[in-house]
Amino acid sequence: KKNGGRYLFVTNNSSKSTEVYVSKLNKLGIEATSEDFLTSTNATILYIKNKFPGRKFYSFGTESFTKQLREAGINVVTDREDGIFGIVMGNDNELTFKKLEDACILLLEDIPYIATNPDWVCPTSFGYVPDCGSMCRGYELATGKRPIFIGKPEPTMIEVVTER
């Protein structure tokens, strides 16, 4: 930045908002703003806005994930209801059986199925837990449906990074 350059922090983690990352870096003494970040949620928002503007999606993810989608103008619901056009899925550490069941029921239809990232695991303080890619693999085995992945290393994420 001092030499006029630009950097971008890029993450596949969709369970936390950009603001959480900015706060974390600032606490570590690293100056950062939301403009310095691109999450798989940000890339997913741009993808949905470009491909499916105004359509209603079932949000399968954390409250933070759903809030980010709504604040960006994406029409999302968290209950199965009429008129759902597709599913958008992120890493969900607030998972419930209802969400699992809703996703399986919705995936029986021929609807768009978008996932923030293909990561198999998410690191934790004790090791790893299943991430978005693992959950999507489970849905594939249960329903036969595979999502369109947006996050790294998929080209969609790289295209968004390049544009920014």
Side-chain angles (χ1 to χ4, degrees):
K1 277 188 170 180
K2 287 179 184 176
N3 294 329
R6 179 131 198 278
Y7 58 83
L8 196 60
F9 296 101
V10 180
T11 179
N12 271 354
N13 191 337
S14 60
S15 65
K16 296 177 182 153
S17 70
T18 302
E19 288 73 29
V20 170
Y21 287 111
V22 169
S23 176
K24 183 177 182 176
L25 285 183
N26 286 332
K27 284 178 184 174
L28 293 171
I30 301 169
E31 287 186 37
T33 68
S34 59
E35 294 299 313
D36 298 325
F37 279 88
L38 181 72
T39 68
S40 58
T41 302
N42 301 133
T44 300
I45 287 167
L46 292 172
Y47 179 83
I48 291 173
K49 282 185 162 186
N50 287 334
K51 296 276 187 183
F52 309 109
R55 299 296 191 135
K56 186 192 304 183
F57 280 82
Y58 180 92
S59 176
F60 186 109
T62 62
E63 285 184 37
S64 175
F65 175 69
T66 300
K67 182 181 176 198
Q68 267 192 281
L69 295 171
R70 281 193 181 122
E71 287 176 350
I74 305 295
N75 182 7
V76 292
V77 295
T78 55
D79 288 311
R80 207 167 24 88
E81 60 185 54
D82 291 338
I84 292 174
F85 177 77
I87 293 178
V88 59
M89 185 176 293
N91 183 22
D92 191 357
N93 56 16
E94 301 164 0
L95 185 61
T96 64
F97 186 80
K98 180 190 174 304
K99 290 179 188 180
L100 292 170
E101 186 176 66
D102 283 352
C104 285
I105 291 168
L106 289 167
L107 288 173
L108 294 175
E109 304 295 324
D110 187 22
I111 61 174
Y113 173 27
I114 301 161
T116 57
N117 70 79
D119 295 349
W120 293 110
V121 294
C122 182
T124 66
S125 61
F126 58 83
Y128 297 95
V129 295
D131 203 332
C132 188
S134 291
M135 296 303 297
C136 291
R137 180 68 175 133
Y139 288 114
E140 181 181 352
L141 293 171
T143 69
K145 303 290 174 61
R146 295 188 73 199
I148 296 167
F149 287 111
I150 303 299
K152 305 178 292 181
E154 297 301 316
T156 304
M157 184 77 151
I158 305 309
E159 290 163 6
V160 173
V161 168
T162 303
E163 287 175 23
R164 292 234 1 228

